[in-house]
Amino acid sequence: MRFDIGGYWGIFMRKVILLALCATVSGCTTAGETLSFRPSNPQQQAMVRDGRPALVSRQKNSLVLVSPAARQQQTYGRPVFVVGINNISRQPVDFRVAQVEAIQHVAGSDFSMSIVTYEMLVQEEKNRQVVAAILTGVAAGANAAAASQAGRGTYTTPSGRTGTFYSPTANAIAQGNAAAQNEALIAATVETGQRNMAALEQAVIKDNTLMPGEWYGGQLHVSPPTDQGGAQKSYTLVITVGPDRHVVEISQGPVGS
């Protein structure tokens, strides 16, 4: 079957572009693998839009659009999807992140993959900020220590006599420069942390009640699938919206496979 998704897609692709830009909060990714979708029932359609694979899934009460947040996935990294949800019923419906399931299929067996929630990502960012603050403190301390020795030195005269000298002016200039550099370094570290937190708040999908006709969506982060020695990886996302279950079949493999 086919879907008339002109209006749906315009809204969704604007969200894809914004959230794909926000995906950099997790760090730069190394391109290595691509994703593709396989319709699991007649109510789904796989497609390509703007160079990205995507899947539309329609159930009685909701319509779900799924697309990868990046054109290529990091080989051993977390897959990140942009999920758009539309409540097409006449009643409010709930979306709960805890109800999203991810299952990898390996040699006839199924293995659970964790959903990395907004709260988990925030804690990871907090941990990153602690490490960044420690490293910034070490760098600032080293910078200040080096500046404190500025203006000091030794000399040797032509006759062989040695001695030491000290220039208060040179020392003061060096320490002033170091203080300014350290202040800028600390400010940049704080600003990066605040920017990353704001990006997570804006981009990552969370629990939400959708009113009739309402759209909602965001990034869905999933734990990395188990490596298959370079072979294709197969896994399923089950996205529950109210009473609807949208089963999304995904293949992930090396570029060109």
Side-chain angles (χ1 to χ4, degrees):
M1 69 177 294
R2 296 188 61 81
F3 298 96
D4 180 10
I5 61 167
Y8 297 149
W9 197 262
I11 296 171
F12 182 57
M13 285 309 297
R14 286 194 291 273
K15 181 175 286 292
V16 167
I17 293 169
L18 289 173
L19 297 183
L21 291 174
C22 292
T24 56
V25 71
S26 302
C28 297
T29 59
T30 302
E33 296 185 330
T34 57
L35 299 177
S36 61
F37 299 98
R38 305 184 306 277
S40 62
N41 61 67
Q43 300 298 315
Q44 294 185 349
Q45 181 180 341
M47 61 186 68
V48 177
R49 294 290 177 135
D50 192 32
R52 297 175 187 271
L55 184 127
V56 185
S57 177
R58 186 186 184 103
Q59 295 287 333
K60 180 180 179 181
N61 300 285
S62 58
L63 183 143
V64 168
L65 303 172
V66 183
S67 184
R71 295 185 185 277
Q72 294 184 359
Q73 299 294 312
Q74 187 177 7
T75 301
Y76 302 106
R78 293 171 179 164
V80 181
F81 300 92
V82 177
V83 178
I85 304 169
N86 183 214
N87 178 4
I88 59 176
S89 74
R90 297 183 179 180
Q91 301 294 329
V93 295
D94 289 334
F95 167 77
R96 297 288 181 263
V97 177
Q99 294 180 331
V100 178
E101 303 172 64
I103 307 102
Q104 184 175 4
H105 313 294
V106 181
S109 299
D110 293 341
F111 302 90
S112 178
M113 300 165 62
S114 300
I115 302 299
V116 186
T117 66
Y118 166 75
E119 291 76 16
M120 293 176 182
L121 292 168
V122 166
Q123 187 58 55
E124 287 182 358
E125 174 58 25
K126 288 180 178 178
N127 294 342
R128 188 205 65 78
Q129 290 183 22
V130 169
V131 174
I134 292 172
L135 295 177
T136 299
V138 171
N143 198 20
S148 70
Q149 299 303 310
R152 303 177 188 273
T154 61
Y155 65 87
T156 302
T157 67
S159 62
R161 186 168 61 88
T162 62
T164 61
F165 67 86
Y166 172 65
S167 170
T169 301
N171 185 270
I173 292 173
Q175 294 210 46
N177 289 339
Q181 292 167 0
N182 288 346
E183 183 177 347
L185 181 63
I186 293 169
T189 300
V190 172
E191 181 183 356
T192 298
Q194 292 174 338
R195 185 171 60 249
N196 287 352
M197 284 294 192
L200 287 174
E201 174 64 37
Q202 179 183 14
V204 179
I205 200 165
K206 310 170 191 68
D207 293 353
N208 197 72
T209 297
L210 287 82
M211 304 307 291
E214 183 180 5
W215 277 91
Y216 174 69
Q219 289 180 2
L220 179 68
H221 294 241
V222 183
S223 63
T226 302
D227 182 55
Q228 301 301 302
Q232 197 89 354
K233 305 165 190 173
S234 175
Y235 52 97
T236 302
L237 287 178
V238 181
I239 301 171
T240 300
V241 182
D244 297 343
R245 282 169 57 87
H246 298 267
V247 179
V248 181
E249 300 289 351
I250 303 164
S251 293
Q252 178 177 332
V255 176
S257 64

